[in-house]
Amino acid sequence: MPRFKSIVFLLFLLLTFKNISATQVKIGILYGSMLNEINVSYKNGNSALYCDSVLLKQDSRDFNLKIVAQNDSIFAYKGDSIFVCGKSFQIKAVEYSESVLNHPKFKQEKVYSGSLIFNNVNGFLFIVNDIEIEDYLPGVLEAEVGLKRPPEYYKVQAIICRTYTLSHLRRHEMEDINLCDREHCQVYKGVSNKNQELNKAVSKTADVVMVDNDFLLITAAFHANCGGQTVNSEDVWNNRLSYLRSIKDTFCLREKSAVWSKQISLEKWKECMLKLCPNYDYGSDSLISGKDNNFLQFTRKKDYSTGTCTIPLKEIRTALGLRSTFFNAFYKDGIITLSGRGFGHGAGLCQDGAIRMAKLGYSYKTILHYYYQNTSIINLDKLDFFMYVE
Ligand SMILES: [Zn+2]
Ligand SMILES: [Zn+2]
């Protein structure tokens, strides 16, 4: 690349990523759980305790508190002492710090690293975990992927979750947090310490994300099993994305979720079709009339057409509680048998396929490029490095 072009390209990258290379994220934890009190205690490291902006204790290495949201205030009970805070009680991490949250409702205590901020919102606790993104990601991997996956697959998922985090920093802007800890964003239940491979995968891929041809962070969609063929993004969400293209995938075919079947009564089928398309005419439904009761799919279809109705398969999937939109249908003696493949929406990375590829020795880069076409894998830290070159 000529020198001038390289400089323009670099400047473009820097401008694009200057605003997103956050190192800290604010996660709303126990989000929506409507608790008005919780116990918090010291676990590890070094923290400072604050009531609003007033420092209560610097270098606190041992605390055991009960935090209560009452009226418009936050009460912190510590032995015989009570601190009443107008806005928030904070456990600020000084270097690395871990705290334990506990409540009689919890099956087990929850450990969080980083800072914890306890606010009172409408009489309930609104708890924020202010944490380094690289400390947050192993917890997300544990909650989203589980503990028994191959190490290379954890790297794949670490890059997906980091890309998701950075591309959704404004998802909860109104609440002054970046993300919540529910399925709505990414599931997160605190520090992960049960399998060191999760932490290793995050540190070995530190600052690595995926971008499209316009250098925008990608929507790294994934699902459990594609059934042998992924779908184009526009068939699921209307938006055509250059990197979410339908590809053939043979890696997932032997897994449990690769095939499914379900039988439903003719009555239920009719009821469902009428609900999805008020013009539905039972008489012209080719599936039932038997003229074409096997609509074999050689590619993944988007709609089911009958009479004047064109019904998106994703709506049929939701209405009938099906595992995927990748299915054939047969009618016989009042029963419709749906024989399907895969589990999930089918766009982007197929988890079963990617896990199989990792077990077969494919690298995380090959796996990501296989499922996300036309993308680049880049390191944000290397871009930062260029920013400070004199
Ligand atoms: Zn959320
Ligand atoms: Zn697949």
Side-chain angles (χ1 to χ4, degrees), residues 52 92 95 99 152 198 272 335 345:
D52 296 323
K92 276 194 187 169
E95 301 165 17
S99 311
E152 198 67 10
L198 279 70
C272 166
I335 298 289
H345 53 62

Side-chain angles (χ1 to χ4, degrees), residues 233 321 350:
S233 59
C350 163

Side-chain angles (χ1 to χ4, degrees), residues 38 40 48-58 60 62-70 72-91 118 120 125:
I38 199 158
V40 55
L49 308 182
Y50 284 83
C51 188
D52 296 323
S53 54
V54 177
L55 176 67
L56 299 176
K57 194 166 187 334
Q58 184 91 47
S60 179
D62 185 15
F63 56 82
N64 196 344
L65 302 151
K66 183 173 165 183
I67 312 284
V68 182
Q70 202 176 320
D72 292 331
S73 306
I74 287 281
F75 291 69
Y77 295 87
K78 184 172 184 275
D80 294 335
S81 315
I82 307 172
F83 303 101
V84 184
C85 316
K87 191 172 174 290
S88 69
F89 185 87
Q90 300 175 39
I91 298 169
F118 301 85
N120 179 336
L125 288 170

Side-chain angles (χ1 to χ4, degrees), residues 168-180:
H168 289 80
L169 290 175
R170 300 177 73 172
R171 193 141 209 223
H172 286 267
E173 199 172 20
M174 300 289 281
E175 296 163 294
D176 200 23
I177 55 172
N178 299 116
L179 302 165
C180 73

Side-chain angles (χ1 to χ4, degrees), residues 28-218:
I29 58 169
L30 307 173
Y31 188 83
S33 56
M34 312 287 272
L35 299 176
N36 47 24
E37 63 173 66
I38 199 158
N39 296 309
V40 55
S41 56
Y42 173 85
K43 167 98 177 169
N44 215 339
N46 180 6
S47 314
L49 308 182
Y50 284 83
C51 188
D52 296 323
S53 54
V54 177
L55 176 67
L56 299 176
K57 194 166 187 334
Q58 184 91 47
D59 193 10
S60 179
R61 290 173 190 267
D62 185 15
F63 56 82
N64 196 344
L65 302 151
K66 183 173 165 183
I67 312 284
V68 182
Q70 202 176 320
N71 304 325
D72 292 331
S73 306
I74 287 281
F75 291 69
Y77 295 87
K78 184 172 184 275
D80 294 335
S81 315
I82 307 172
F83 303 101
V84 184
C85 316
K87 191 172 174 290
S88 69
F89 185 87
Q90 300 175 39
I91 298 169
K92 276 194 187 169
V94 180
E95 301 165 17
Y96 187 78
S97 155
E98 284 181 0
S99 311
V100 181
L101 289 184
N102 217 338
H103 186 277
K105 273 189 183 172
F106 294 173
K107 282 186 194 140
Q108 60 190 55
E109 60 185 30
K110 298 172 193 290
V111 180
Y112 291 90
S113 67
S115 301
L116 291 173
I117 303 145
F118 301 85
N119 301 296
N120 179 336
V121 174
N122 301 324
F124 294 103
L125 288 170
F126 186 83
I127 311 172
V128 180
N129 185 196
D130 193 342
I131 182 172
E132 288 268 344
I133 189 167
E134 302 298 319
D135 290 336
Y136 159 68
L137 290 172
V140 174
L141 288 192
E142 181 176 326
E144 290 273 358
V145 186
L147 292 165
K148 292 178 182 166
R149 304 299 184 200
E152 198 67 10
Y153 179 69
Y154 283 133
K155 291 186 203 162
V156 167
Q157 204 73 43
I159 294 169
I160 288 175
C161 294
R162 183 180 296 106
T163 305
Y164 179 92
T165 304
L166 290 172
S167 60
H168 289 80
L169 290 175
R170 300 177 73 172
R171 193 141 209 223
H172 286 267
E173 199 172 20
M174 300 289 281
E175 296 163 294
D176 200 23
I177 55 172
N178 299 116
L179 302 165
C180 73
D181 64 348
R182 296 291 188 91
E183 290 86 355
H184 173 256
C185 291
Q186 294 182 127
V187 181
Y188 166 64
K189 295 173 183 171
V191 167
S192 168
N193 52 18
K194 297 189 190 89
N195 179 352
Q196 282 312 305
E197 291 299 337
L198 279 70
N199 300 70
K200 278 190 211 163
V202 171
S203 59
K204 282 182 181 167
T205 64
D207 298 305
V208 174
V209 293
M210 266 181 299
V211 292
D212 66 11
N213 287 339
D214 295 322
F215 292 96
L216 296 169
L217 291 165
I218 71 163

Side-chain angles (χ1 to χ4, degrees), residues 223-230 248-253 349-354 371:
H223 57 277
N225 187 306
C226 73
Q229 179 93 34
T230 68
K248 271 206 187 318
D249 177 14
T250 53
F251 292 104
C252 61
L253 294 179
L349 180 133
C350 163
Q351 287 182 300
D352 278 349
Y371 290 104

